[in-house]
Amino acid sequence: MSVDLDRTRPIWRQIAAIMQARIVDGVYPAGARVPSVVELSTEFGVAASTAQKVLTRLKEDGWVRAEVGLGTFVADQPPTP
């Protein structure tokens, strides 16, 4: 899936918004694994540090939870947009 990002706005915010929309739309349902840092980096063509920032922000905002050694998963009750 190709996504055009607006290079005049923070890329990580745009990717976080895309991921939130995918969660809301059920692309990633509650409990589902979300893409890893490497997978996000590849999909969006960004640095690993940018992808990590996306996952960190999603976790801080309650959209996902991280399980050491297993990956990052959609929270059981993600926030309402």
Side-chain angles (χ1 to χ4, degrees), residues 18-56:
I18 291 167
M19 294 300 293
Q20 289 172 357
R22 289 178 180 176
I23 292 169
V24 169
D25 292 344
V27 175
Y28 302 121
R33 185 182 166 280
V34 297
S36 67
V37 168
V38 172
E39 292 166 335
L40 284 175
S41 296
T42 301
E43 177 180 353
F44 292 101
V46 297
S49 59
T50 301
Q52 182 62 54
K53 190 169 188 174
V54 169
L55 292 178
T56 298

Side-chain angles (χ1 to χ4, degrees), residues 33 65-73:
R33 185 182 166 280
R65 59 182 164 70
E67 294 187 22
V68 177
L70 296 176
T72 304
F73 300 86

